[in-house]
Amino acid sequence: MSECGGRGGGSSSSDDAEDEGGGGGGPAGSGSLSPAPAGAFSAGRLRRGLRGASLMARRRPELLCGAVALGCALLLALKFTCSRAKDVIIPAKPPVSFFSSGSPVLDLFQGQLDYAEHVRRDSEVVLLFFYAPWCGQSIAARAEIEQAASRLSDQVLFVAINCWWNQGKCRKQKHFFYFPVIHLYHRSFGPIEYKGPMSAVYIEKFVRRVMKPLLYIPSQSELLDFLSNYEPGVLGYFQFSGSPQPPGYLTFFTSALHSLKKDYLGTVRFGVITNKHLAKLVSLVHSGSVYLHRHFNTSLVFPREVMNYTAENICKWALENREMLLQWLRPHGGKSLLLNNELKKGPALLLFIPFNPLAESHPLIDEITEVALEYNNCHGDQVVARLLQHLQHVDAPVFESLALEAPAQLPDPPLITTSPCCNTVVLPQGHSISRTHNVCELCVNQTAGGVRPSSLSAPQCSFFEMAAALDSFYLKEQTFYHVTSDGIECSNFLSSYSPFRYYTACCRTIHRGVTGFISFRQEGFETPAIAFSSLEKKCEVDSPSSVPHIEENQFVFSELDTDRAAFTGLSCRTNKTLNIYLLDSNLFWLYAERLGAPSLAHVREFATIVDVKEESHYILDPKQALRKFTLESFIQNFSILYSPLKRHLIGSDSAQFPSRHLITEVTTDTFWEVVLQKQDVLLLYYAQWCGFCPSLNHVFIQLARLLPADTFTVARIDVTQNDLPWEFMVDRLPTVLFFPCNRKDLSVKYPEDLPITLPNLLKFILHHSNPASAPQSLASPATKACLQSEASLQQGHISHLEREIQKLREEISTLHRAQVQVEAQLASARQDEHRLLRQKRTLEQQHSLLRLHSEQLQALYEQKTGELEEVARKLQELADASENLLTENAWLKVLVATMERKLEEKDRAEMLASPKEAYSEHPEPAGTSRLPGNTALPSNVSATLASERNNENRTD
């Protein structure tokens, strides 16, 4: 019935199947258990059925007519039933227009794929938008498609096709695994599938690249624009003077379309040069030559003598040999390994910038391109220097050639003004200089005569030299006692490694608004640096000092310039080479927020360095604008041996945890306040996936109830949601750390081999919370009032613990009594167990005896059965012998009876014939029988006859 309803009526195949399966003439009608399946009748059975039907028609035609009438009635009933079933199913509603009537998009909502192919042939550029009306992404992309079509409708035909309606040709011929799908056709070339963001600007940008895949390069300035772009560039030289379409131009044009088809991001730009003088600058002499520009590796010319000059080969050659200076990342939002595969390549600099694909210029991307060119210019290439000058809009002489074979012909670019190789040193609390000065600028290779850093004669400085300068600076800090003024004071000191080298340190004071903070909030400096102080009142330590971001030293020392020579080619002088990636912050700002960017940023610009191998990442201060000099300082400070960058810590929101709980929930933001500033703290490290961690909750809750809350804190932290500095991380879960009051640097780890129980935790805390147990060399001298206060607190703590211990002892005694009762019950249970064991053994013995007896009875039964079978066999033999004897007895009876009759007749005859002989002198003995001829029977025969008569009588 469902098959008929689904097909819209009973088909011939279904009717035949029903007739065959439900007929009474087959095996099912003859009383079989299961009917024969449809189609199971063979050709022989069919022939026999037809033969039987013909015989029945000849013999009894009225039966055949009745069968035909019955079959017609059955067919009518089936058709009526199927039509009723068809009425139950509601047919699908006809599709309606997906786009509005005034939309510039041609909507083929009935899936007219043939009409779409017809209009595609008549248009130069066509965009086909395949959608499903129920698809949420198709509905979201509808407005974007309309917006792009409203701008390009005079040049591009936009066609939308409903590829979901089951009666449309699109559904029958196309099999898409997702919606929506965008295909572009450029005349006869296509389809070019677009897989980028479903945004109007991105779609329009891609359509425009398909419309104009080649850029015309008419001048040297535009050539420099083309070559200095961060995207790889392919140039083709063609002379249009001789013919309207030079040989090979169409092939080059098609290769650009192939590149867009293979790489929808369009990372390879194709350009055309028609001026032969301009073509010589990129080593193109012959018409039809193709040039691939690469910034740092040798640029290439398409080898026409090795590879065939086809569009596919040109595209393949360009994609295989391209050089990626910057790479765009566009995660699609689903499960993907895109970010994972890129981050595994090494440290990555992720730059989130607001990007408009339709903008004519991108100043921020140009600055990032400058940074990438300088960072990777390891050999001081003059061509790269000329491109950098063009990006910086610096007037320079026009270069004559970018020839691959003769780079020496290029004019030398002007030398970059060298700056001192300096580094900013933030002095922690406790240093002698920090009494009046807290920030110093340390410079390498300075002469002893000057008091201010001057230009360096050497263009670069080594990381090892800076490390040696830092060591010498801290060793020679006693020489700076004379620095007392509030301004910048510079002093020279000798290197501790070489007596022929001097360093210069210029120190100044940064005023602090709050004690313990070095605050540069006006400039955006907020990096914390942790330092512990000695024993103070109320068990508190100083707050973390705020260290300015090292990349912001130009704001602190505005008169000093950044060492540009130290940054050029930095990627080749460090083991932490960065890969630079770009992300559109308009689309992927959520990723930036997860990496530390503020969610309410006015300008969505953000930079971060992610190092998967080191399991850390660093962020550029979000309050500073993303510019070239900040990026250079950020990269340079990441690359040095002793990086001053602070690892960014990501933690959960502390607002979601209530403050009034027995166990304090610690996050990354509250770790300093809860653990490192307050009284004694017992911290539990746990994770949601740790199965053993929840079993410890009752222990820590009881501990928190026992200990006074004003002097002791029981806390825990979820290490999977909150990052901590490396010195506070653990390598196993659960882990318990104890931070004693005033001695946070003497934190103790709970022994791993000791069970985590309430008595063990109390002993552990009492042992390590006593100040006397700390080394005297590490403890600072305390005041008498603080010691008395501490002693009174400890005495109250001890008395409180003694009361709790007394309660615990009473509970232990109660538990001992309960233990005795349980042991008595266990003894009774053991006795019952022994009794049951004995009964079990007795039953097992009886069972074995019964089994033996059963085996004996079985053997006896088999023996008696054999004997009975033998007796039965003998009785059968006796029965057979009796039957034979009966047969022989019958014959003997007949023979005896015959012989007696004959003897009697003979006797009578003899008696009549010679009566006198009966009274002869010698009479015969009585009972003697005679045979014919007067022959007397032997005595044994007579005896036998007599016995036979007796047997006969008994048998009868």
Side-chain angles (χ1 to χ4, degrees):
M1 297 299 293
S2 62
E3 183 179 0
C4 294
R7 296 184 179 180
S11 62
S12 59
S13 61
S14 62
D15 293 340
D16 295 342
E18 289 179 0
D19 291 341
E20 292 173 358
S30 61
S32 60
L33 294 178
S34 59
F41 292 100
S42 61
R45 291 186 178 183
L46 183 60
R47 287 194 297 270
R48 288 194 298 269
L50 293 175
R51 191 180 303 114
S54 62
L55 291 176
M56 184 179 65
R58 287 197 300 269
R59 295 178 181 177
R60 301 188 67 181
E62 64 278 3
L63 291 179
L64 179 62
C65 294
V68 172
L70 182 61
C72 293
L74 181 61
L75 289 176
L76 289 175
L78 288 174
K79 185 171 183 59
F80 176 74
T81 306
C82 291
S83 62
R84 289 291 300 275
K86 222 171 39 170
D87 296 337
V88 174
I89 301 174
I90 300 177
K93 295 181 180 180
V96 296
S97 179
F98 191 66
F99 290 83
S100 61
S101 58
S103 174
V105 181
L106 176 61
D107 190 6
L108 304 179
F109 56 88
Q110 293 183 349
Q112 303 98 314
L113 191 61
D114 50 354
Y115 183 73
E117 293 293 332
H118 173 70
V119 298
R120 184 180 65 81
R121 298 189 188 96
D122 298 336
S123 303
E124 183 175 0
V125 180
V126 180
L127 184 145
L128 299 182
F129 177 71
F130 299 96
Y131 69 90
W134 52 265
C135 176
Q137 294 182 359
S138 300
I139 296 173
R142 174 172 53 188
E144 306 295 332
I145 292 293
E146 285 186 338
Q147 183 179 350
S150 63
R151 297 172 58 90
L152 299 174
S153 58
D154 56 339
Q155 306 176 52
V156 180
L157 177 62
F158 285 77
V159 181
I161 306 173
N162 183 1
C163 212
W164 186 255
W165 193 41
N166 57 352
Q167 298 182 16
K169 279 193 174 182
C170 183
R171 176 67 183 273
K172 296 177 180 179
Q173 296 182 10
K174 301 289 185 179
H175 303 283
F176 295 116
F177 296 99
Y178 56 89
F179 290 99
V181 178
I182 297 178
H183 286 173
L184 276 88
Y185 291 86
H186 190 285
R187 294 181 182 174
S188 59
F189 185 87
I192 304 175
E193 184 176 358
Y194 172 72
K195 298 180 181 178
M198 287 299 169
S199 176
V201 290
Y202 279 94
I203 295 174
E204 182 180 348
K205 178 66 175 179
F206 187 76
V207 174
R208 291 186 181 275
R209 296 198 75 162
V210 174
M211 292 169 54
K212 191 178 178 181
L214 300 180
L215 297 177
Y216 176 57
I217 311 296
S219 63
Q220 181 177 350
S221 176
E222 295 189 10
L223 177 61
L224 287 175
D225 290 339
F226 184 86
L227 297 179
S228 60
N229 195 281
Y230 65 93
E231 294 180 338
V234 178
L235 289 171
Y237 168 54
F238 299 95
Q239 293 182 356
F240 283 82
S241 58
S243 61
Q245 190 177 93
Y249 175 78
L250 184 59
T251 302
F252 186 70
F253 184 90
T254 309
S255 67
L257 294 177
H258 273 287
S259 174
L260 293 174
K261 184 177 181 180
K262 292 183 178 180
D263 191 350
Y264 70 95
L265 295 176
T267 54
V268 179
R269 307 166 76 243
F270 283 75
V272 175
I273 299 176
T274 58
N275 189 338
K276 63 179 181 180
H277 300 289
L278 200 61
K280 288 182 180 179
L281 297 178
V282 290
S283 305
L284 298 181
V285 179
H286 304 287
S287 177
S289 302
V290 179
Y291 168 83
L292 173 63
H293 176 69
R294 300 193 293 185
H295 294 96
F296 308 110
N297 295 312
T298 305
S299 300
L300 303 176
V301 176
F302 182 77
R304 304 187 64 168
E305 64 280 357
V306 179
M307 302 175 65
N308 294 330
Y309 191 80
T310 61
E312 292 81 359
N313 287 343
I314 294 176
C315 176
K316 181 181 178 182
W317 170 75
L319 293 176
E320 289 179 353
N321 297 283
R322 63 182 173 177
E323 181 184 72
M324 300 299 297
L325 184 64
L326 304 174
Q327 185 174 349
W328 281 97
L329 293 180
R330 293 190 175 97
H332 56 75
K335 291 184 178 180
S336 173
L337 295 177
L338 173 64
L339 292 176
N340 179 65
N341 294 335
E342 296 298 332
L343 294 178
K344 286 194 303 185
K345 297 178 181 178
L349 173 61
L350 303 179
L351 300 174
F352 294 84
I353 59 174
F355 180 68
N356 182 12
L358 300 178
E360 295 182 359
S361 62
H362 302 88
L364 182 55
I365 294 183
D366 292 341
E367 291 190 13
I368 296 173
T369 303
E370 293 181 39
V371 173
L373 287 174
E374 292 183 0
Y375 180 67
N376 293 283
N377 189 16
C378 300
H379 305 291
D381 193 290
Q382 296 181 355
V383 176
V384 176
R386 180 64 185 91
L387 296 178
L388 286 171
Q389 290 178 358
H390 178 75
L391 289 173
Q392 298 168 0
H393 304 287
V394 177
D395 295 333
V398 178
F399 65 92
E400 298 180 358
S401 174
L402 288 175
L404 305 179
E405 296 83 1
Q409 298 178 3
L410 291 174
D412 295 336
L415 294 175
I416 301 175
T417 304
T418 58
S419 302
C421 182
C422 303
N423 198 356
T424 303
V425 179
V426 180
L427 303 180
Q429 288 289 98
H431 281 263
S432 57
I433 309 175
S434 63
R435 300 172 185 173
T436 55
H437 294 74
N438 48 30
V439 177
C440 293
E441 187 76 4
L442 179 64
C443 299
V444 184
N445 293 334
Q446 301 297 317
T447 60
V451 295
R452 286 185 177 273
S454 60
S455 300
L456 299 178
S457 59
Q460 300 177 1
C461 64
S462 172
F463 297 145
F464 299 101
E465 293 177 349
M466 180 54 66
L470 291 173
D471 294 341
S472 299
F473 174 74
Y474 285 113
L475 291 174
K476 300 290 184 179
E477 63 173 343
Q478 300 296 332
T479 62
F480 294 96
Y481 274 121
H482 65 279
V483 180
T484 57
S485 64
D486 293 335
I488 299 178
E489 297 291 340
C490 298
S491 299
N492 298 286
F493 59 96
L494 188 66
S495 170
S496 59
Y497 296 96
S498 174
F500 304 103
R501 178 171 297 176
Y502 286 86
Y503 303 121
T504 298
C506 296
C507 300
R508 66 180 298 176
T509 300
I510 303 299
H511 296 286
R512 302 189 292 268
V514 181
T515 304
F517 281 85
I518 302 176
S519 179
F520 296 102
R521 295 186 180 275
Q522 296 81 3
E523 294 84 8
F525 307 139
E526 291 184 349
T527 303
I530 298 175
F532 297 109
S533 68
S534 60
L535 184 64
E536 297 179 3
K537 293 183 180 181
K538 297 183 181 179
C539 301
E540 293 184 358
V541 295
D542 290 340
S543 302
S545 60
S546 178
V547 181
H549 279 258
I550 195 68
E551 63 270 11
E552 314 299 345
N553 56 9
Q554 292 188 3
F555 291 95
V556 182
F557 301 99
S558 58
E559 68 274 17
L560 300 179
D561 296 329
T562 306
D563 188 3
R564 304 297 298 275
F567 182 76
T568 303
L570 183 58
S571 64
C572 302
R573 303 196 305 271
T574 177
N575 291 330
K576 298 188 290 185
T577 303
L578 286 170
N579 300 315
I580 305 177
Y581 299 96
L582 301 176
L583 292 95
D584 189 355
S585 59
N586 296 325
L587 301 176
F588 309 110
W589 188 247
L590 179 62
Y591 292 87
E593 293 180 0
R594 295 292 299 273
L595 291 172
S599 57
L600 301 177
H602 299 287
V603 180
R604 292 193 169 185
E605 296 178 358
F606 180 69
T608 178
I609 295 176
V610 179
D611 193 348
V612 176
K613 185 178 180 181
E614 298 295 333
E615 298 181 1
S616 61
H617 78 280
Y618 312 92
I619 65 171
L620 187 65
D621 189 0
K623 293 187 178 181
Q624 293 298 321
L626 191 63
R627 292 293 179 263
K628 177 184 176 182
F629 65 89
T630 56
L631 280 178
E632 289 180 350
S633 300
F634 188 44
I635 296 173
Q636 189 172 3
N637 289 299
F638 169 77
S639 303
I640 64 177
L641 186 61
Y642 300 104
S643 176
L645 299 179
K646 299 299 180 181
R647 173 172 171 253
H648 181 70
L649 305 178
I650 298 177
S652 57
D653 187 11
S654 58
Q656 61 181 330
F657 304 108
S659 58
R660 301 298 297 174
H661 269 180
L662 287 175
I663 299 180
T664 305
E665 191 73 29
V666 179
T667 63
T668 303
D669 298 333
T670 62
F671 179 79
W672 173 269
E673 177 185 357
V674 174
V675 178
L676 301 181
Q677 278 193 326
K678 291 187 177 182
Q679 59 270 13
D680 294 343
V681 178
L682 186 72
L683 182 62
L684 168 66
Y685 291 80
Y686 77 99
Q688 296 293 338
W689 49 261
C690 175
F692 185 69
C693 296
S695 63
L696 303 177
N697 289 338
H698 71 284
V699 177
F700 284 88
I701 291 174
Q702 293 180 11
L703 181 66
R705 289 174 176 172
L706 292 175
L707 299 175
D710 56 345
T711 59
F712 197 91
T713 300
V714 179
R716 67 174 187 172
I717 182 171
D718 186 355
V719 294
T720 60
Q721 301 293 331
N722 299 275
D723 292 338
L724 292 177
W726 295 117
E727 60 269 19
F728 297 114
M729 292 301 292
V730 295
D731 55 356
R732 66 188 300 269
L733 297 176
T735 296
V736 180
L737 293 183
F738 177 67
F739 295 86
C741 176
N742 306 318
R743 294 174 291 108
K744 301 296 183 179
D745 53 340
L746 298 179
S747 59
V748 184
K749 182 179 179 182
Y750 187 84
E752 297 178 359
D753 55 348
L754 189 64
I756 302 178
T757 60
L758 186 60
N760 291 339
L761 285 174
L762 287 173
K763 293 178 181 178
F764 174 73
I765 293 170
L766 292 175
H767 176 70
H768 294 286
S769 62
N770 186 6
S773 61
Q776 295 297 328
S777 59
L778 297 177
S780 313
T783 61
K784 183 177 180 180
C786 184
L787 289 177
Q788 291 178 355
S789 175
E790 182 69 19
S792 62
L793 289 175
Q794 292 292 339
Q795 187 64 31
H797 191 189
I798 292 172
S799 60
H800 178 73
L801 291 178
E802 287 178 351
R803 290 193 298 270
E804 296 297 334
I805 290 173
Q806 184 64 28
K807 293 180 181 179
L808 289 175
R809 286 175 179 171
E810 294 176 357
E811 293 180 0
I812 290 173
S813 61
T814 303
L815 290 175
H816 278 306
R817 290 193 296 270
Q819 182 182 4
V820 171
Q821 295 177 0
V822 171
E823 288 178 353
Q825 294 177 359
L826 288 176
S828 176
R830 291 193 188 95
Q831 293 176 0
D832 294 339
E833 183 182 5
H834 292 314
R835 180 175 52 81
L836 291 175
L837 287 175
R838 289 194 298 270
Q839 293 179 359
K840 180 182 178 182
R841 286 195 292 269
T842 304
L843 291 176
E844 287 178 352
Q845 293 176 0
Q846 293 178 359
H847 178 68
S848 60
L849 292 175
L850 290 174
R851 185 186 300 171
L852 180 61
H853 185 59
S854 175
E855 292 176 356
Q856 293 176 356
L857 290 176
Q858 183 68 22
L860 183 60
Y861 169 75
E862 292 176 355
Q863 180 182 357
K864 295 300 181 181
T865 301
E867 293 177 356
L868 288 174
E869 290 177 353
E870 182 66 22
V871 170
R873 184 180 60 79
K874 292 181 179 180
L875 289 175
Q876 184 65 32
E877 292 178 356
L878 289 175
D880 295 341
S882 299
E883 290 180 0
N884 294 333
L885 289 175
L886 288 175
T887 304
E888 293 178 357
N889 190 16
W891 285 105
L892 287 175
K893 287 170 64 179
V894 173
L895 179 60
V896 169
T898 304
M899 291 179 67
E900 285 181 351
R901 284 195 302 269
K902 289 181 179 181
L903 289 175
E904 289 177 356
E905 291 176 357
K906 186 174 181 180
D907 290 340
R908 283 195 301 267
E910 289 180 355
M911 290 176 63
L912 291 175
S914 56
K916 293 180 180 181
E917 292 180 359
Y919 302 100
S920 62
E921 295 178 356
H922 304 283
E924 294 179 358
T928 302
S929 299
R930 289 183 177 268
L931 292 173
N934 295 327
T935 304
L937 291 172
S939 60
N940 56 353
V941 175
S942 300
T944 301
L945 290 175
S947 63
E948 289 295 334
R949 290 192 187 98
N950 295 331
N951 291 335
E952 182 180 359
N953 294 333
R954 287 196 301 269
T955 303
D956 294 340

